[in-house]
Amino acid sequence: MANYTVKLSKAPKGHAIPPLLAEVGAWVGKQSHGTLGWFDALEAEPIPKEWLPEEAERLRRDAFAFLHLPDGSLLALVNPGAGAPWAVALLGSEGEARTVANSLEEFLMLWSKGETELDDLDDEEGASERKALAAWLKAKKVKAPKAKDFDFAAWLDGDAVPASTQLAAVHTFKPTEVMKKLGPKTQRLASVLGRRADDPDVIAYVTEALGKKVPASTSENTDSVNVEAAKHGVEIVFSHDILNDAFPPIPKTAKTFIPYVASAWVRSKTGEDVLGVPWKVKTEAEIAKLLGPPSGRRASFMDEDALTVTWWEFALDTAGQVWLELEFDESLSVTLAVKGAGELERHPDLTTGLFIGYAATRGLLDGSRFPAHRALLEAVVARKAKGSEFVKQALPRGLWDDHLRDAPGLRLMAYRWFHNMNGLWITTDLKKTFGKRAGAFGHDAPKLDDDTWDAVDKAAPLLDQRFAKWIAK
């Protein structure tokens, strides 16, 4: 098998190759491709202008790429300034931006352990020489320098948002009796659910108990970050985008956010059973004997109808914001999560407004979800205000499935309809009603210029067919 490609003899204009990078590059160039992970080349080059055109000049001045990943993503060395070590950052092929390590030394040490949080470098199938890399680093006496955590996404975005605009958003956790029955490790994990990433308890748990780092921020391009501590049987999802009004996004900079601990998977390596259920349980009946009848059954995926997954759920706080779920589908899986809705439309447009007008007059909306906009909703129901007016004022984060009534099957059907699943799609239905034209992104779109009540009435016959089972009589 061919060796890795290494091209580090010359740095991009205005930069120099760090001696450590040159040395490790010479060593990597002697290793067979696939023994240190999956990457195309260790090569120094300028940051492509196309990656972020508005920041291209700054990126080329203060950073350069040195490693290509198979999906087109790049790793770069970035100068944080103020005399800090150059950090290693991910420039994702889909626009993701995050810090991988606070220094080149730290990155190499994480790489040697398979803990970069980059699948292509941490993959176990391509890891036969990671121990050799660790030995090389030890022989070279490479140690990570002390450095302040660098937030690449926030660095890209410039100055931080003033503290006065950073919403407090603190979840007060009052445990239920079920919470008190969890083992100490699972209970400690559950206690940080719903908390901000900058909460001292979160930082202590992740860094001290798990030996990992808390993500400094998330963004629209990277709305969640997973932190996996496989040896501890825990994987945590940090996200600013919990679809729950009690957990609003908290700006860090204009385009980045302070995330919450949104959910976590608990696995057998915690060394604890959950509510007495063995990890190697074989049947649903065994779980039911311990926990009682299941909370329900569902399909494995949103586009499937076969109810193959059995689940039991329990509130872990008295406000019903944090939940424990045990799921059985041939094997047991355990999840802790902040209660969140399903997204129907993140970026509402006229078609969303038209649907809201229709749904309001057909009794499909859950009025209790809009206490601050009750009068406006009544005006829409009375056809004195348009659905788009309601969307603008009451749905700043988009339309969610729990904005609809909790009637059997309604939310699932709506999710499929908004997401083009199972032969259902709002766009197709509205094109049939109003005709089509080229949309903003080159795809056909309904020929709809305003969500007037005449437009709602025109669409109503077809929508009545779709929602006949749930229309309030």
Side-chain angles (χ1 to χ4, degrees):
M1 183 178 289
N3 291 348
Y4 286 105
T5 298
V6 177
K7 296 180 180 179
L8 295 173
S9 59
K10 185 179 180 181
K13 184 178 179 180
H15 297 286
I17 300 294
L20 178 58
L21 181 59
E23 288 185 65
V24 78
W27 183 83
V28 169
K30 298 175 184 178
Q31 312 307 313
S32 297
H33 191 272
T35 59
L36 288 167
W38 310 106
F39 58 96
D40 297 332
L42 203 61
E43 178 180 3
E45 64 175 352
I47 305 296
K49 293 181 178 179
E50 298 78 12
W51 188 77
L52 190 64
E54 62 269 29
E55 291 293 333
E57 182 178 344
R58 181 177 173 222
L59 278 166
R60 290 193 161 207
R61 183 192 69 212
D62 294 333
F64 67 90
F66 72 92
L67 191 147
H68 293 247
L69 293 170
D71 67 349
S73 299
L74 299 171
L75 292 187
L77 281 170
V78 184
N79 182 7
W86 284 50
V88 176
L90 172 70
L91 284 67
S93 57
E94 300 297 325
E96 312 96 304
R98 66 176 176 86
T99 303
V100 176
N102 292 317
S103 66
L104 177 60
E105 292 87 346
E106 182 185 27
F107 167 71
L108 294 175
M109 294 173 73
L110 291 171
W111 188 5
S112 73
K113 299 174 185 176
E115 296 180 357
T116 65
E117 304 292 342
L118 300 166
D119 291 342
D120 292 312
L121 296 187
D122 296 344
D123 185 86
E124 289 302 320
E125 291 185 8
S128 60
E129 292 301 317
R130 281 213 297 256
K131 288 184 178 179
L133 175 58
W136 185 90
L137 294 170
K138 184 177 181 180
K140 293 290 182 179
K141 297 181 179 180
V142 174
K143 294 184 178 181
K146 291 184 178 181
K148 183 179 178 181
D149 285 342
F150 174 59
D151 186 345
F152 178 54
W155 178 87
L156 277 177
D157 205 24
D159 296 332
V161 172
S164 60
T165 68
Q166 296 181 3
L167 305 179
V170 175
H171 173 58
T172 303
F173 198 100
K174 295 182 179 179
T176 60
E177 290 303 312
V178 172
M179 170 71 167
K180 297 173 184 177
K181 294 178 182 178
L182 298 177
K185 295 178 183 178
T186 308
Q187 194 171 136
R188 186 175 181 193
L189 171 58
S191 72
V192 301
L193 266 288
R195 294 178 183 267
R196 292 165 47 142
D198 56 358
D199 185 304
D201 287 344
V202 173
I203 295 170
Y205 174 69
V206 174
T207 59
E208 296 171 11
L210 303 183
K212 296 292 182 177
K213 286 188 174 182
V214 176
S217 66
T218 48
S219 66
E220 288 297 327
N221 284 330
T222 308
D223 62 10
S224 65
V225 176
N226 287 32
V227 174
E228 183 174 11
K231 295 177 181 178
H232 297 277
V234 171
E235 184 173 357
I236 300 174
V237 179
F238 287 83
S239 178
H240 68 270
D241 194 28
I242 298 175
L243 303 189
N244 181 326
D245 293 330
F247 298 86
I250 307 167
K252 182 173 183 179
T253 65
K255 296 179 182 178
T256 66
F257 303 87
I258 298 170
Y260 300 94
V261 182
S263 61
W265 288 281
V266 181
R267 301 187 175 112
S268 60
K269 286 198 174 181
T270 57
E272 298 177 346
D273 290 342
V274 177
L275 299 183
V277 179
W279 285 102
K280 293 184 178 180
V281 65
K282 299 294 184 183
T283 67
E284 173 188 325
E286 292 176 69
I287 305 176
K289 188 175 181 179
L290 295 165
L291 302 181
S295 301
R297 292 182 173 82
R298 60 174 173 246
S300 294
F301 299 97
M302 294 295 284
D303 61 349
E304 296 180 352
D305 293 318
L307 305 181
T308 59
V309 180
T310 308
W311 48 279
W312 290 257
E313 67 175 5
F314 305 92
L316 296 183
D317 71 314
T318 54
Q321 297 288 12
V322 178
W323 290 78
L324 163 69
E325 181 178 280
L326 291 87
E327 179 183 287
F328 185 78
D329 182 8
E330 297 185 354
S331 62
L332 177 69
S333 62
V334 178
T335 307
L336 304 172
V338 176
K339 181 181 179 181
E343 182 179 86
L344 299 184
E345 180 55 67
R346 177 181 291 267
H347 304 292
D349 56 15
L350 279 176
T351 64
T352 318
L354 184 141
F355 172 73
I356 288 294
Y358 168 81
T361 57
R362 295 301 194 270
L364 300 178
L365 299 180
D366 180 356
S368 68
R369 292 286 283 106
F370 310 104
H373 300 91
R374 186 168 289 118
L376 179 56
L377 180 57
E378 291 173 356
V380 176
V381 172
R383 299 168 65 101
K384 295 179 180 178
K386 295 188 297 185
S388 57
E389 296 175 58
F390 186 82
V391 168
K392 185 176 181 179
Q393 294 189 43
L395 301 176
R397 298 179 61 194
L399 178 63
W400 306 341
D401 64 358
D402 71 355
H403 291 144
L404 305 183
R405 287 173 28 234
D406 189 13
L410 172 58
R411 294 175 179 178
L412 174 61
M413 185 276 175
Y415 188 92
R416 290 174 172 177
W417 190 58
F418 273 92
H419 291 274
N420 191 14
M421 293 180 174
N422 300 69
L424 302 168
W425 196 20
I426 179 176
T427 300
T428 297
D429 284 349
L430 296 186
K431 284 192 296 185
K432 286 181 181 179
T433 300
F434 300 105
K436 62 184 181 180
R437 61 187 174 196
F441 301 101
H443 302 292
D444 288 341
K447 195 181 294 183
L448 182 67
D449 296 312
D450 197 353
D451 61 318
T452 63
W453 283 104
D454 284 344
V456 173
D457 290 340
K458 188 173 182 179
L462 182 50
L463 301 192
D464 281 344
Q465 293 178 35
R466 296 286 184 225
F467 293 94
K469 288 171 59 176
W470 304 282
I471 294 174
K473 299 296 189 287

